[in-house]
Amino acid sequence: MTILIVGLSIFIVICVILMYLIGIYNKFQIYVIRINEAEANIDSTLRKRFDFLNKSIGIIKANTDIEDEILGNIVKLRSRKLSNFELDRQLYDAINEFNKIKEEHEELKKSDAFIKIDLGLLESEAEIVASRKYYNDIITDYNKLVRVFPSNIVAIFGKYKTKLYFD
């Protein structure tokens, strides 16, 4: 009878531990889904910014006497595969160039198409800031889960690694 009670107790303890580990594994899966969702939001916003800048090239050329290559970084980005981190940095540089051109050429501020692009870029800036914050908040929680005991044991077996923040 005591062997049965000891065996049943061990079985119950093992089941509780397994249920706990399954709960941690499911928590990792939820974070992976949320991270993918946040990355998709960032990707969508970055594509929108890229499209605005790409459209602005023709409008700038049509409304100014600039002969040099305008927003050269954007033209080069068309054919390159970049991570969202790299694309964001490149777009940031291009937006700075866009703003410099806007300040140097008053005639652009009279173009409705240019104004729409400028407003679109401003709106996308607010979107990307919110998306970055959401992404970084999720990454903070995920990285804690990867590093803290006992969830780090599940992370080792599940090959979950810490992820970088979006700067």
Side-chain angles (χ1 to χ4, degrees):
M1 187 71 169
T2 58
I3 294 175
L4 183 62
I5 293 173
V6 170
L8 189 57
S9 298
I10 291 172
F11 178 74
I12 290 172
V13 168
I14 289 172
C15 286
V16 168
I17 291 171
L18 281 175
M19 301 244 325
Y20 181 73
L21 293 175
I22 290 169
I24 292 173
Y25 175 80
N26 287 338
K27 203 171 195 178
F28 271 110
Q29 293 304 309
I30 290 167
Y31 277 110
V32 167
I33 290 168
R34 290 177 66 198
I35 289 167
N36 289 339
E37 176 189 341
E39 287 175 344
N41 288 342
I42 289 171
D43 186 57
S44 172
T45 305
L46 291 176
R47 287 181 193 279
K48 194 184 315 181
R49 294 178 105 190
F50 174 82
D51 290 341
F52 281 129
L53 289 168
N54 199 23
K55 289 177 187 175
S56 74
I57 294 171
I59 294 168
I60 292 170
K61 285 185 178 182
N63 289 294
T64 65
D65 57 355
I66 299 175
E67 296 296 325
D68 300 335
E69 188 173 309
I70 301 169
L71 300 175
N73 291 343
I74 294 299
V75 175
K76 293 174 189 169
L77 290 178
R78 290 178 187 164
S79 61
R80 292 177 59 193
K81 287 280 188 185
L82 299 173
S83 71
N84 283 344
F85 297 108
E86 295 169 314
L87 181 59
D88 185 52
R89 287 184 197 104
Q90 296 290 327
L91 290 175
Y92 181 77
D93 292 341
I95 288 171
N96 284 339
E97 186 180 346
F98 173 88
N99 287 329
K100 183 179 166 192
I101 291 170
K102 178 176 75 172
E103 295 304 317
E104 291 174 354
H105 298 277
E106 290 292 322
E107 63 270 21
L108 289 171
K109 295 178 182 176
K110 296 174 185 169
S111 168
D112 289 336
F114 186 84
I115 292 170
K116 286 180 184 176
I117 288 173
D118 193 29
L119 288 174
L121 285 171
L122 288 174
E123 289 172 6
S124 71
E125 179 63 27
E127 287 177 36
I128 198 73
V129 166
S131 295
R132 277 188 206 128
K133 181 174 179 355
Y134 177 69
Y135 178 85
N136 287 338
D137 289 346
I138 293 169
I139 292 299
T140 297
D141 293 340
Y142 171 84
N143 285 344
K144 285 178 189 175
L145 203 58
V146 169
R147 291 184 177 165
V148 175
F149 181 81
S151 59
N152 64 347
I153 295 169
V154 175
I156 291 167
F157 286 111
K159 297 181 181 168
Y160 296 108
K161 306 284 185 208
T162 57
K163 295 192 179 269
L164 297 174
Y165 292 94
F166 208 98
D167 55 352

